[in-house]
Amino acid sequence: RPTIDQELLESLPNLKVIGNSGVGVDHLDLKMISNFGVKVTNTPQAVADPTADIGMALMLASARRLVEGCQTAVSPDTKYFPVDWLGVEVTRATLGIIGMGSIGYRVAQRARAFDMRILYHNRNRRRKEEEEAVGAHYCEKMEDLLQQSDFVMLVVNLTPETHKLIGKKELGLMKPTATLVNISRGAVIDQDALVEALQNKVIRAAALDVTYPEPLPRDHPLLKLSNIIITPHIGTATVQATRMMAEEAIANMLAVLNGQPIPSEV
């Protein structure tokens, strides 16, 4: 909106910069755009905190079965509250963060306050001081992280390498009591494999702020499961973040147009 395709770029010979709001640029053909000599910028600063917040919100909501609980509490059919209502605890649980960029790191900062054991997998290992500041342990192999974690949170960019990063094999490595949280992009998960894993209790639950496509078709099997929470891609949907994203995007575009150093060039 608008789709940046060859036709659009050819029709705008004076175009200098495409300022993306948000951090993900998987919807842009960066190679084609740069062939036109056009710069691309994004807004990583504005999105880090609200997206980390939604990650924590989804993890807590799924662990404590908040959505189901709310439905029970407000349902006209409820005569009494179930005595066998049990969720799982986040405090002192093991959190595996896949993707330890600025958002992943902020998730770790928040998780530390819950006394969580924090594992992370990333292309590059963080500096020792950064790891120690949040008590995070590096897993060179993603498999190790998947096997040990009670909650697995996906915080990667969508690239050809991360497309369907989590499939049948990876879900099978997770604990049957584990929860998968996705705040990155829908296509990072093989959704058919996820449906199967949730139906067959291969994992306990999933909580997704992103799907593929968005919204899902109304007859999609993910929408019929009770052990899933899906929110409508609201990771950065706060009053403050929207304003900050606009300000950051404008600062980037003005820098390009004025030939100054670009704060956030992709």
Side-chain angles (χ1 to χ4, degrees):
R1 293 180 302 227
T3 305
I4 312 288
D5 54 16
Q6 181 116 3
E7 195 185 357
L8 181 74
L9 291 166
E10 281 168 357
S11 71
L12 300 168
N14 297 325
L15 185 67
K16 298 279 185 290
V17 57
I18 292 167
N20 187 64
S21 274
V23 73
V25 288
D26 45 278
H27 57 296
L28 298 172
D29 184 338
L30 298 175
K31 205 166 189 173
M32 179 190 73
I33 293 167
S34 90
N35 285 342
F36 279 86
V38 174
K39 298 213 178 280
V40 176
T41 66
N42 64 350
T43 60
Q45 270 72 50
V47 306
D49 281 320
T51 309
D53 287 351
I54 204 92
M56 297 306 286
L58 284 167
M59 178 165 64
L60 288 162
S62 182
R64 301 307 295 271
R65 298 166 63 192
L66 221 63
V67 175
E68 280 175 274
C70 177
Q71 287 163 346
T72 301
V74 303
S75 164
D77 305 323
T78 298
K79 303 277 189 293
Y80 52 84
F81 291 157
V83 287
D84 58 350
W85 180 270
L86 295 174
V88 294
E89 290 207 12
V90 166
T91 300
R92 285 182 290 280
T94 298
L95 169 63
I97 301 170
I98 298 179
M100 191 63 126
S102 57
I103 299 170
Y105 195 76
R106 308 238 179 153
V107 169
Q109 289 173 327
R110 287 154 175 72
R112 190 168 199 200
F114 285 85
D115 281 333
M116 298 187 88
R117 175 173 172 243
I118 301 165
L119 309 175
Y120 78 97
H121 173 71
N122 201 44
R123 276 176 308 187
N124 309 308
R125 186 170 180 170
R126 283 269 187 169
R127 292 204 317 273
K128 195 158 182 274
E129 311 84 84
E130 293 172 327
E131 288 181 349
E132 284 169 1
V134 292
H137 305 277
Y138 180 61
C139 292
E140 197 174 335
K141 292 196 176 78
M142 188 171 76
E143 290 75 11
D144 295 342
L145 177 147
L146 293 170
Q147 287 169 332
Q148 295 178 64
S149 299
D150 299 305
F151 298 90
V152 173
M153 197 175 302
L154 300 171
V155 208
V156 292
N157 287 319
L158 177 59
T159 65
E161 291 75 44
T162 61
H163 185 259
K164 293 194 177 174
L165 181 69
I166 303 295
K168 185 174 179 143
K169 173 175 163 258
E170 290 72 24
L171 291 160
L173 287 170
M174 290 171 67
K175 297 181 184 181
T177 52
T179 300
L180 181 64
V181 180
N182 189 8
I183 54 172
S184 57
R185 286 291 183 267
V188 171
I189 298 175
D190 177 342
Q191 279 179 173
D192 295 338
L194 180 62
V195 169
E196 207 177 294
L198 290 169
Q199 284 171 339
N200 300 329
K201 306 284 192 287
V202 173
I203 62 171
R204 176 186 167 271
L208 316 173
D209 186 42
V210 286
T211 57
Y212 185 78
E214 292 173 354
L216 287 171
R218 297 296 86 186
D219 59 352
H220 196 283
L222 273 182
L223 304 180
K224 298 177 179 57
L225 298 169
S226 61
N227 53 344
I228 193 166
I229 295 173
I230 303 177
T231 50
H233 201 146
I234 50 173
T236 58
T238 66
V239 175
Q240 294 89 336
T242 306
R243 184 181 178 91
M244 271 179 72
M245 280 195 291
E247 287 174 358
E248 207 176 330
I250 290 164
N252 278 319
M253 292 187 283
L254 288 174
V256 174
L257 297 177
N258 297 325
Q260 289 163 339
I262 307 160
S264 307
E265 184 176 4
V266 176

